[in-house]
Amino acid sequence: MMKGNLILISIFMLIFPTGVFAIDGLEIAIKIDERQKPVDMKSEMKMVLINKKGKTRTNEIRSITKDDNEKQIIWFLSPKDDKGVAFLKIEHNDADDEMRLWLPAFKKVRRISAGKTSDSFMGSDLSYEDLTTRDLDDYEYKLLGEEMVFSDSTNNNSVTQEDSTICYVLEVTPKQGVDTEYSKHIDWVTKDNFLVLRSESYDNKNKILKIRTIGYKKMKNYFIPIEILVKNVQKNHKTNLIFDKIEVDTNVADDLFQEKNLKRLPQ
Amino acid sequence: MAIFVLLITFTILQAQLDYNGCIRLQNMFTLKNQSEITLPFRIAELELSYTYGNFDLKTNSALEYKWTDQNSKYRLREAYLIWYPNFGEVSIGKQIFAWGMADGNNPTDNLSPYDFHYMFLTGIDRKIGTISAATTIYWDNWQIEGVIIPEHEPNRIVYDKDFPIKPPFSPADSLIQKIDDDVEYGFQIQTYFGNNDLALSFFSGHDRMFSLFGKNMEAQPPDTLFGYRKTNVIGLNSVSLFGDFIFRNEIGYFDTKTETDTESTGSVTLFQLSAEYFQYVSQIEYTGFGDFTLTVQLIGHHNQKIDTENENMKKNFQHGTGTPFATIFDQVLSFSLTSVFWDNSLEIRFNSIINAKEQGYIFGSVVSYSPLDNCSIELNISKFIGDETLDQNYIFNKLESFSNFQLSLKYSF
């Protein structure tokens, strides 16, 4: 009897492999959403734009964020033409995001449009949508299976906390009426820490548009992204975001995210 | 004294120094026959910032150069101390102010005079710093700014033969009346609610351009005297966001009068004039796909009232304060299309100005390319088209000979 049951279970697992996973897509998304994140974060970022000929252009940025990127203030350090330009963003739940730009050459703070979420952030392959956290309720989630993700240190395509790790493969599809430039995402999520290591994003014609790979570092109790590589497959263009001098939970005051602080680089 | 020097030295060593600047080579030629236009340009610029705690000391210097006489002139454009208390900022020294929410043309921005040598540049590059004290208070959604300027500073006018927009003559200093009480001040209150920003401002000062003041009948022939009218400006600014569109509006109400109560004093016959006029800029901005931005502006003025017994003055009334384009032109439409390519290393901008009242056009194009970080090459072409059926004094006809191209190389550090 026992032997018969074991055979039946094995056959069942072969025919319905996903059906026996203890977790479904939505639960994985919830785990990702509930992952502990720092209240605030300071960092210096290097944003390297790489075109199809391999030519690079680098921006250096100092950034302070709070409340899961709902409040963000950044100062441009280089190139020299952009030095001193600063940007403030505050997300509102019941209104458009508030965005202001300090232009030292004009000595003015300029209110700018939150714009389309598909607009490029500073000419990079990241859009404003890519920089904001997805709202859990706006998407549907389907677990496609599991895969091994290998690190590729030569190209630095995937920086993982180990050389390879097993990941859930999660399909994320926006619900009807959600404002997004993407038809779906495929995310590779680590089984142990629910970190998104790799993400493929598809355009409205269901063709692959971007591939994003993320490297993390553990600081205090958090896994902090330290490198994000985005490849726009259709334009054959890459953006590499490298985070340095990261500090978390330093009690950044809410009043730092005000227009007056755009004019002066924090010491 | 030694202790003081030690203290200053210690402070300087503890302070954080930041700098940026550029070196620029440029030249300008007419489109008609490629003859050189002999205007000065800033061959080098340097901004320094010393930071110590809540204090910054900022300086902004430029070396002005002219190819024809190979003369250079050092200009300390700004040098001021800023203190950053919790409530906002307090600054004192020689500084440039920039008010107004529209782009490039700001009727409510009258605190700092213009340097007309740089009239076609943008931002504070075309402004002159003045000794002043200012404070800005930030409170919740509100921002209150106050400025006091103890001494009047006029616009720097170009009398160069190549420059088409200038007074017909340059009066000697002795013919320009000194201002008795030339303290100027202004304040601005700004707030935002939802997708809208709103600002109300007031400025009290004197015109930046001189105007007719009177005649000295003792001189033979009688000398024409000039002066700066007393002018108050009430300004209203707004910004409204609607999806991909941004609406920026600015209007200034100007109340100006010759600063005298008498019709004559001694041998001087005074020309009294009082006037009220408006200047306005209404702007729509759209950012589309592919990183392009389209900006359309309606710029103009309306003379509400001109009171004077001198018919000639009434007929030739000129605004002495305000934004240059609204001062010079009755009403114009301005279009600007900007786009960036190749990871922001190439920027192309097309702009045009169309006279709404009579035929007259300005077409311009700027191509700016950065082959390397911190280096850029810029080609700037401007074409002015007038109306041959109107007389030579029509402003667009005067500008035609100024149609030009300009090439510049810039290294930023």
Side-chain angles (χ1 to χ4, degrees), chain B residues 129-315:
Chain B
T130 50
I131 302 288
S132 49
T135 184
T136 307
I137 298 168
Y138 296 87
W139 178 61
D140 200 18
N141 284 5
W142 296 83
Q143 186 180 317
I144 302 162
E145 183 179 359
V147 178
I148 187 159
I149 303 167
E151 199 176 319
H152 171 261
E153 179 83 36
N155 291 335
R156 184 181 167 210
I157 302 167
V158 184
Y159 289 102
D160 195 285
K161 61 176 178 54
D162 289 334
F163 199 72
I165 304 173
K166 54 180 181 269
F169 45 79
S170 168
D173 282 348
S174 57
L175 297 178
I176 302 179
Q177 298 301 294
K178 299 283 176 278
I179 300 169
D180 286 333
D181 175 15
D182 59 353
V183 173
E184 303 183 325
Y185 63 90
F187 61 84
Q188 179 170 245
I189 299 171
Q190 191 171 319
T191 187
Y192 67 90
F193 45 95
N195 285 343
N196 304 285
D197 283 9
L198 201 62
L200 183 66
S201 65
F202 176 77
F203 167 75
S204 176
H206 292 81
D207 281 352
R208 301 285 176 216
M209 286 291 293
F210 58 81
S211 49
L212 277 176
F213 181 79
K215 255 183 161 38
N216 180 3
M217 305 308 291
E218 270 192 358
Q220 291 302 325
D223 282 331
T224 303
L225 302 175
F226 302 89
Y228 298 96
R229 291 189 298 254
K230 174 81 179 159
T231 301
N232 295 327
V233 186
I234 298 172
L236 187 63
N237 280 263
S238 72
V239 176
S240 297
L241 277 59
F242 291 102
D244 297 335
F245 291 88
I246 304 177
F247 295 88
R248 302 182 198 271
N249 293 290
E250 200 170 324
I251 185 165
Y253 162 74
F254 296 74
D255 179 4
T256 186
K257 63 179 182 181
T258 316
E259 200 165 34
T260 175
D261 293 329
T262 61
E263 286 189 357
S264 68
T265 169
S267 58
V268 177
T269 301
L270 301 167
F271 301 146
Q272 285 188 346
L273 179 144
S274 68
E276 293 171 17
Y277 59 92
F278 293 91
Q279 288 185 357
Y280 55 87
V281 174
S282 198
Q283 175 178 326
I284 301 173
E285 189 180 320
Y286 172 74
T287 301
F289 299 104
D291 291 326
F292 83 83
T293 303
L294 174 66
T295 304
V296 180
Q297 280 187 339
L298 179 68
I299 307 162
H301 72 253
H302 168 71
N303 294 332
Q304 177 75 7
K305 184 175 85 172
I306 304 170
D307 275 342
T308 179
E309 289 176 358
N310 188 318
E311 281 306 310
N312 200 35
M313 277 177 74
K314 193 170 192 171
K315 188 181 158 194

Side-chain angles (χ1 to χ4, degrees), chain A residues 49-51 55-59 79-81 83 96-98 100 104-108 110-116 118-120 122-123 237 258-260 263-265 267, chain B residues 16 18-19 51 53 55-56 78 80 84 86 96 98-100 102-103 106 123-124 138 143 192 194-195 197 241 243-244 246 248 285 287 289 343-344 371 373-374 412-413:
Chain A
L49 309 179
I50 309 160
N51 69 11
K55 190 175 172 200
T56 62
R57 185 174 168 90
T58 304
N59 284 344
K80 295 296 179 185
D81 273 350
K83 186 176 178 181
D96 286 345
D97 295 351
E98 193 185 320
R100 295 180 189 275
F106 293 83
K107 270 194 160 183
K108 286 187 184 178
R110 202 162 177 272
R111 180 99 186 249
I112 57 175
S113 171
K116 293 182 286 294
S118 58
D119 283 351
S120 157
M122 293 305 300
H237 190 281
Q258 287 182 351
E259 193 175 296
K260 62 178 177 176
K263 302 177 188 177
R264 194 181 191 225
L265 202 64
Q267 303 312 310
Chain B
Q16 196 166 320
D18 195 24
Y19 67 91
T51 296
F55 291 86
D56 280 355
E78 291 184 291
Y80 59 103
Y84 295 96
N86 287 339
I96 294 171
W99 282 3
D103 292 336
N106 304 105
I124 63 168
Y138 296 87
Q143 186 180 317
Y192 67 90
N195 285 343
D197 283 9
L241 277 59
D244 297 335
I246 304 177
R248 302 182 198 271
E285 189 180 320
T287 301
F289 299 104
D343 294 337
N344 296 337
D373 280 350
N374 306 328
S412 302
F413 55 87

Side-chain angles (χ1 to χ4, degrees), chain B residues 22-141:
Chain B
C22 69
I23 294 171
R24 185 190 285 109
L25 293 175
Q26 74 179 50
N27 215 337
M28 207 172 180
F29 302 90
T30 59
L31 282 178
K32 191 175 174 182
N33 54 16
Q34 293 82 54
S35 59
E36 195 177 352
I37 294 175
T38 57
L39 289 175
F41 67 96
R42 294 184 183 124
I43 195 169
E45 294 178 65
L46 179 65
E47 290 177 32
L48 293 172
S49 177
Y50 292 89
T51 296
Y52 184 75
N54 283 346
F55 291 86
D56 280 355
L57 176 64
K58 289 182 185 282
T59 69
N60 180 357
S61 310
L63 194 64
E64 202 171 83
Y65 185 76
K66 209 167 168 178
W67 289 112
T68 43
D69 49 23
Q70 295 182 353
N71 246 341
S72 58
K73 193 180 174 87
Y74 170 77
R75 292 197 188 272
L76 180 63
R77 299 186 63 219
E78 291 184 291
Y80 59 103
L81 183 69
I82 314 182
W83 170 46
Y84 295 96
N86 287 339
F87 62 79
E89 48 192 83
V90 179
S91 60
I92 187 163
K94 185 176 186 182
Q95 52 193 314
I96 294 171
F97 297 98
W99 282 3
M101 292 184 183
D103 292 336
N105 298 289
N106 304 105
T108 63
D109 183 18
N110 298 296
L111 292 163
S112 298
Y114 286 92
D115 187 335
F116 277 80
H117 292 86
Y118 304 98
M119 186 181 153
F120 295 104
L121 294 183
T122 57
I124 63 168
D125 280 347
R126 51 192 185 156
K127 295 289 205 80
I128 300 171
T130 50
I131 302 288
S132 49
T135 184
T136 307
I137 298 168
Y138 296 87
W139 178 61
D140 200 18
N141 284 5

